[in-house]
Amino acid sequence: WATISYAIQRVPDGSTILVRPGTYTGRVDLRGRFASGVVVRAEVPYQARLRNHGTVVTCFYGQGITLQGFDVAHDGPGAGALVIQIQDLLGEPGGDDRVSRIVLRDNVLHDSFDNDILKINNGASQVTVVGNVFYNQSGTDEHVDVNSVTDVVLQDNVFFNDFAGSARTNGNDTSHYVVIKDSNGADDTNLGSERITVRRNVFLNWEGSDGSYFVLVGEDGNPFFEARDVLVESNLFLGNAANVQRAPFGVKGGRDVTFRNNTVSGDLPSFAYAMRLNREGSNLANANVVVANNVWSDATGTMGADGRGSGDDFSDTPPADTSSFLLWSNVYWNGGAAIPTSAAELVNPEDDAARTIGDPLLPAVTGVVLPRWVPATGQFADGSKRIRRAFRRLVKRFAVPAAGGAA
């Protein structure tokens, strides 16, 4: 068959569709209901290129579908919005019969010229995004927009930007790498995204706006909790770029949000080195935010300084904007300088009764090689031939503390 869209509607449940190397132009529509599941896989990893001058891959009527091993991007400037969109149009959005059990695995997802790289929205459920590389969204949008959905897992991915590597101009205007929210309120059966996990990812090379985050929960100022039961754990956040960000992590109108076992390392010029917990518009006050067992390590001694003359800053947390929080058993290191604290903020290191202040002996965040895909060589820029290898190189190089340190 010539196209994935044609093939997937003609195979029995349990099939694997192999896609030979080459460039496939036009929209790929993943549809069909498969109880056991169908896998659509590039025969040679990353050598089957999916391109379109609009949305490249859609999944609006699918259940039990895996897309694996592709290179997916817009075809160039002027393309229409979104690279991949997964949303529920099976009956009432978010209802009992919905788009679900969708997996994106081991893909190179990059270079949107309009809006997000991946949008998961409008009632979709049970979506797993595992082992992919993301880079270069467009404008005030994200790598991944998790929006009014349930049971989504983002795991073992690498998120970065490298606009120059794609011969694009970095306008320092792009938004978060991951946002978890609900923009459409009661337009589907979900009121707020729920049960969202962001686990074991690597975030690095910030080239976005100074008002954006690696990971943000809530954004649109709605008068309900925009996300509930959110777990952000065991991620690596690297401050290897000179561009200023708002903070690596933020919550705006979220409930039952846990940020644990993460490592934040490097200079990371920002307005707050750890977090921002606040409200926008009609947001409810954040509730039950747990921040535990993390390592924050800025060996340069400029924790939370934006490089524009501001002082160090641990958190931006207006007291009226969060009703309940727990800070517990974290490691804090500011290159031997004082850990920043402020009586004007709700959350300070002193609130952590089990805190450890000392050098975790993490490797210096220098000499970072971005794992962008180089088709001409058939490997990533760091020499890896597979995404998993590039992921492991970053983790082994920057996340392993030496023995005897505070970690």
Side-chain angles (χ1 to χ4, degrees), residues 184-332:
N184 68 0
D187 287 352
D188 58 36
T189 60
N190 297 329
L191 194 63
S193 288
E194 189 171 6
R195 298 183 301 279
I196 312 299
T197 299
V198 180
R199 174 190 294 132
R200 293 198 313 261
N201 303 283
V202 180
F203 299 86
L204 72 158
N205 213 58
W206 184 254
E207 293 187 347
S209 80
D210 61 11
S212 298
Y213 308 71
F214 281 136
V215 178
L216 177 63
V217 177
E219 184 181 47
D220 292 332
N222 285 317
F224 52 84
F225 289 116
E226 292 192 30
R228 307 183 304 280
D229 298 319
V230 177
L231 176 60
V232 181
E233 67 173 359
S234 301
N235 300 282
L236 175 62
F237 300 89
L238 292 177
N240 68 300
N243 304 294
V244 178
Q245 68 173 197
R246 191 63 184 79
F249 176 66
V251 184
K252 302 182 180 188
R255 191 191 81 192
D256 301 327
V257 178
T258 298
F259 184 85
R260 71 183 183 198
N261 305 343
N262 300 286
T263 298
V264 181
S265 181
D267 188 8
L268 195 65
S270 55
F271 293 113
Y273 194 83
M275 72 194 85
R276 185 187 190 203
L277 310 180
N278 72 311
R279 289 187 288 180
E280 300 281 353
S282 300
N283 277 156
L284 301 175
N286 301 309
N288 191 26
V289 178
V290 175
V291 180
N293 250 32
N294 304 286
V295 176
W296 290 290
S297 176
D298 184 351
T300 69
T302 59
M303 179 177 276
D306 63 12
R308 303 170 180 171
S310 73
D312 294 1
D313 192 0
F314 177 74
S315 80
D316 284 340
T317 51
D321 288 0
T322 300
S323 64
S324 53
F325 78 96
L326 172 67
L327 188 68
W328 183 258
S329 190
N330 302 283
V331 174
Y332 309 81

Side-chain angles (χ1 to χ4, degrees), residues 38-373:
V38 163
V39 176
V40 182
R41 176 165 61 85
E43 187 177 40
V44 180
Y46 326 129
Q47 296 292 343
R49 295 171 293 277
L50 308 183
R51 298 290 188 268
N52 194 27
H53 204 58
T55 307
V56 185
V57 178
T58 58
C59 184
F60 299 162
Y61 303 94
Q63 294 176 339
I65 301 171
T66 295
L67 187 74
Q68 179 175 336
F70 291 88
D71 170 354
V72 190
H74 279 151
D75 62 5
L82 306 174
V83 174
I84 300 177
Q85 185 176 16
I86 301 168
Q87 66 171 328
D88 177 31
L89 297 183
L90 289 171
E92 183 181 18
D96 292 337
D97 186 18
R98 56 194 170 189
V99 168
S100 59
R101 296 180 293 110
I102 307 301
V103 179
L104 301 179
R105 184 189 303 276
D106 192 28
N107 302 285
V108 181
L109 308 176
H110 65 106
D111 285 296
S112 171
F113 286 84
D114 186 354
N115 213 286
D116 310 316
I117 296 175
L118 169 61
K119 191 178 192 73
I120 309 169
N121 69 318
N122 289 359
S125 185
Q126 300 176 48
V127 179
T128 302
V129 182
V130 57
N132 305 278
V133 163
F134 288 83
Y135 54 92
N136 298 350
Q137 77 272 48
S138 179
T140 57
D141 290 290
E142 293 80 35
H143 285 172
V144 186
D145 182 359
V146 180
N147 198 327
S148 194
V149 293
T150 57
D151 300 292
V152 172
V153 177
L154 309 180
Q155 180 172 296
D156 299 332
N157 304 286
V158 181
F159 297 92
F160 65 94
N161 274 341
D162 179 16
F163 289 103
S166 295
R168 297 172 62 180
T169 300
N170 175 26
N172 286 124
D173 60 353
T174 48
S175 195
H176 331 292
Y177 285 177
V178 175
V179 68
I180 303 163
K181 62 179 183 177
D182 186 337
S183 297
N184 68 0
D187 287 352
D188 58 36
T189 60
N190 297 329
L191 194 63
S193 288
E194 189 171 6
R195 298 183 301 279
I196 312 299
T197 299
V198 180
R199 174 190 294 132
R200 293 198 313 261
N201 303 283
V202 180
F203 299 86
L204 72 158
N205 213 58
W206 184 254
E207 293 187 347
S209 80
D210 61 11
S212 298
Y213 308 71
F214 281 136
V215 178
L216 177 63
V217 177
E219 184 181 47
D220 292 332
N222 285 317
F224 52 84
F225 289 116
E226 292 192 30
R228 307 183 304 280
D229 298 319
V230 177
L231 176 60
V232 181
E233 67 173 359
S234 301
N235 300 282
L236 175 62
F237 300 89
L238 292 177
N240 68 300
N243 304 294
V244 178
Q245 68 173 197
R246 191 63 184 79
F249 176 66
V251 184
K252 302 182 180 188
R255 191 191 81 192
D256 301 327
V257 178
T258 298
F259 184 85
R260 71 183 183 198
N261 305 343
N262 300 286
T263 298
V264 181
S265 181
D267 188 8
L268 195 65
S270 55
F271 293 113
Y273 194 83
M275 72 194 85
R276 185 187 190 203
L277 310 180
N278 72 311
R279 289 187 288 180
E280 300 281 353
S282 300
N283 277 156
L284 301 175
N286 301 309
N288 191 26
V289 178
V290 175
V291 180
N293 250 32
N294 304 286
V295 176
W296 290 290
S297 176
D298 184 351
T300 69
T302 59
M303 179 177 276
D306 63 12
R308 303 170 180 171
S310 73
D312 294 1
D313 192 0
F314 177 74
S315 80
D316 284 340
T317 51
D321 288 0
T322 300
S323 64
S324 53
F325 78 96
L326 172 67
L327 188 68
W328 183 258
S329 190
N330 302 283
V331 174
Y332 309 81
W333 178 244
N334 192 23
I339 308 299
T341 185
S342 171
E345 307 297 351
L346 177 68
V347 181
N348 285 289
E350 291 83 357
D351 298 309
D352 184 346
R355 64 188 178 275
T356 298
I357 296 179
D359 189 351
L361 297 182
L362 287 166
V365 184
T366 58
V368 177
V369 179
L370 301 175
R372 66 171 297 109
W373 176 242

